[in-house]
Every structure is written in structure tokens, then in C-alpha cells.
């Protein structure tokens, strides 16, 4: 169980990536969201479609051409395979999420001391290079945001949100371990990283909503994230047990 808990991040990441892939696979197996009626007519060679029925779980799609002429757009075999794969991915995703949350209240681990470390330089590096890393990561996420929503639709969008929060939290945790406040433990780094990652997403999401551009993020989210990261990190350093004057 201890080994499984240590692999919580890997399980969560695997579940999220596979989940996004599953959402895209289901979406592309259904009639095009842009013009589902035309998709039904082209694939099934029917007349004028009066109604299109779709379901995400179990994945299915059917086209109603009127007069009782209802045809399956997605084959039963594909629907069954996608359903089974979806359940397996959900198990991995939930397991990884639960174990990851438990790690935030687990053993703190050994304390990393500040002896022999230039704390001023360490803090400056986190405020500058850390913010730059975050800006690059968010710029990449802007691209995947569009891909996830366009190809994965609603499910893809929801999974993208979870993936973004988890990914930013993991990045911020790694940056904290390498450049964060000292003295510190691995548990404190995870907690600070998770808080920072969630804050970054909250600020980006709120700013995008206020500007009326949801659900698609814009490239200006990258510098906004960098500024937000620097502000949060500055606050974390100022609240450290042994504050560093700058």
C-alpha cells in the first residue's frame, strides 16, 4: 500500500491523460457537434434527420430519420469497448485522486535545513525562474485547453480542469522543493505547491470568465499566471518560520 501511495501522482496523471484520450475517442465516434444531422445523413445514407440522440455513458449515438427509422450511429461493439475502458480509467483516476489527497496529510518526512544555503538567492530564483517556468507551462496549457474542449466536449473540458490543477500543483511542488523556503519538509512543499497550483488556476479561470472568454483560455493567461505565482511565492516566503529579508 505504501508503494501505491508513493505512486499516487503517477496514477492520477495516467488516469487524467487516459481520460482525456477516452473523451476524445467518444466524441469523435459520435456525430459531429458542429452539424450532427449532416453527419448522420452522410454516414447512414438516410433522409433528412429529425433528431440525434447521444449518450456519454454508456457511449452511444443514434439518428432518427422520422417515421420510426432510427439507426445506430455508433456500433454496439464500439460502445461496449468504450464503456469498459471508461470504467477502468475511472477506477485508476479515482484511486490516484484519493491517494494524492491523502498524501497532503501524510508523514512530513525529514526536514531540509537552511544551513549553508544562500536563502536570498534561493528566494530570488524562485520568484524569477519559477515564474518563468509557470508562464511557459500555462502557455502550453492554453493550446491543450482548446484541443480538450473542441475534441472532448464537456467531458474533455471537465477533465482538462482537473488535469490543469493537478499539473500546476505538481509543477509548483517541484519548484518549491528545488527553490522554496527553508527549513521545510516534503509535506510542506506538497501543501504549498498544491495551494499555489489551485490559486493559479482560480485566477486564470476567474479572469477568463470576467472577460467573457470562457471556456477558452487566452495567451495573456501566461503572464498573469507568472505574476500570480510570484505574488503567492512572496507571501509563502514572508510567512516562513525563518523569514528572509530582501
Amino acid at each position: 500500500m505504501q508503494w501505491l501511495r508513493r505512486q499516487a501522482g503517477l496514477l492520477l496523471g495516467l488516469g487524467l491523460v487516459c481520460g482525456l484520450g477516452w473523451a476524445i475517442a467518444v466524441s469523435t465516434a459520435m456525430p459531429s457537434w458542429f452539424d450532427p444531422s449532416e453527419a448522420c445523413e452522410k454516414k447512414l445514407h438516410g433522409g433528412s434527420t429529425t433528431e440525434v440522440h447521444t449518450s456519454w455513458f454508456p457511449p452511444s449515438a443514434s439518428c432518427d430519420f422520422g417515421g420510426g427509422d432510427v439507426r445506430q450511429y455508433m456500433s454496439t461493439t464500439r460502445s461496449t469497448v468504450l464503456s469498459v475502458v471508461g470504467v477502468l480509467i475511472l477506477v485508476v483516476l479515482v484511486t490516484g485522486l484519493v491517494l494524492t489527497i491523502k498524501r497532503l496529510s501524510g508523514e512530513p518526512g525529514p526536514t531540509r535545513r537552511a544551513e549553508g544555503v544562500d536563502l536570498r538567492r534561493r528566494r530570488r530564483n524562485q520568484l524569477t525562474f519559477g515564474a518563468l517556468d509557470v508562464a511557459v507551462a500555462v502557455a502550453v496549457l492554453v493550446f491543450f485547453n482548446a484541443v480538450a474542449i473542441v475534441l472532448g466536449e464537456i467531458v474533455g473540458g471537465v477533465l482538462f480542469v482537473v488535469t490543469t490543477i493537478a499539473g500546476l500543483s505538481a509543477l509548483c511542488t517541484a519548484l518549491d522543493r528545488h527553490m522554496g523556503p527553508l527549513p521545510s519538509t516534503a509535506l510542506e512543499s506538497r501543501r504549498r505547491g498544491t495551494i499555489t497550483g489551485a490559486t493559479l488556476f482560480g485566477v486564470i479561470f476567474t479572469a477568463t470568465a470576467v472577460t467573457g472568454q470562457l471556456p477558452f483560455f487566452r495567451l495573456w493567461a501566461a503572464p498573469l499566471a507568472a505574476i500570480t505565482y510570484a505574488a503567492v511565492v512572496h507571501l509563502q516566503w514572508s510567512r516562513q518560520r525563518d523569514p528572509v529579508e530582501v
Side-chain angles (χ1 to χ4, degrees):
M1 186 62 184
Q2 283 297 111
W3 176 86
L4 189 62
R5 183 170 295 183
R6 287 196 296 269
Q7 304 302 318
L10 179 62
L11 281 175
L12 179 59
L14 178 63
L16 289 170
V17 171
C18 291
L20 284 171
W22 178 85
I24 293 174
V26 172
S27 177
T28 54
M30 291 183 178
S32 170
W33 61 269
F34 182 73
D35 193 342
S37 296
E38 182 181 2
C40 284
E41 293 163 13
K42 285 185 176 180
K43 181 175 180 177
L44 302 178
H45 307 291
S48 178
T49 309
T50 59
E51 195 170 358
V52 179
H53 305 276
T54 59
S55 170
W56 274 88
F57 202 87
S60 63
S62 61
C63 305
D64 188 345
F65 293 101
D69 184 10
V70 180
R71 308 181 195 179
Q72 293 299 317
Y73 187 91
M74 186 186 303
S75 68
T76 303
T77 301
R78 176 173 291 188
S79 177
T80 302
V81 171
L82 289 173
S83 296
V84 173
V85 172
V87 170
L88 294 176
I89 292 174
L90 182 62
V91 171
V92 173
L93 180 57
V94 172
T95 302
L97 184 60
V98 171
L99 292 177
T100 299
I101 293 175
K102 284 186 176 181
R103 290 196 71 194
L104 296 177
S105 59
E107 293 295 326
T111 300
R112 292 168 295 170
R113 302 295 179 181
E115 287 78 3
V117 178
D118 186 342
L119 293 181
R120 289 184 178 179
R121 182 178 181 182
R122 186 179 176 92
R123 180 176 183 173
R124 186 167 58 249
N125 286 344
Q126 189 179 14
L127 287 170
T128 54
F129 296 116
L132 179 61
D133 290 341
V134 167
V136 173
V138 171
V140 174
L141 286 173
V142 169
F143 168 74
F144 284 106
N145 164 244
V147 173
I149 293 176
V150 171
L151 298 181
E153 299 184 26
I154 296 178
V155 175
V158 172
L159 287 172
F160 173 80
V161 170
V162 180
T163 302
T164 300
I165 296 175
L168 288 176
S169 297
L171 173 61
C172 293
T173 297
L175 291 172
D176 189 277
R177 287 176 180 172
H178 286 87
M179 299 180 286
L182 293 176
S184 180
T185 64
L187 178 60
E188 288 174 325
S189 285
R190 286 196 295 269
R191 288 177 174 175
R192 286 193 296 262
T194 300
I195 291 173
T196 305
T199 301
L200 289 176
F201 179 82
V203 170
I204 294 171
F205 184 88
T206 301
T208 305
V210 169
T211 56
Q213 296 177 328
L214 281 178
F216 299 106
F217 294 163
R218 299 297 191 274
L219 277 177
W220 52 256
L224 174 63
I227 295 172
T228 303
Y229 176 82
V232 174
V233 165
H234 175 76
L235 179 61
Q236 290 172 343
W237 273 93
S238 66
R239 298 182 62 180
Q240 185 64 7
R241 291 193 297 270
D242 300 322
V244 180
E245 294 184 0
V246 292

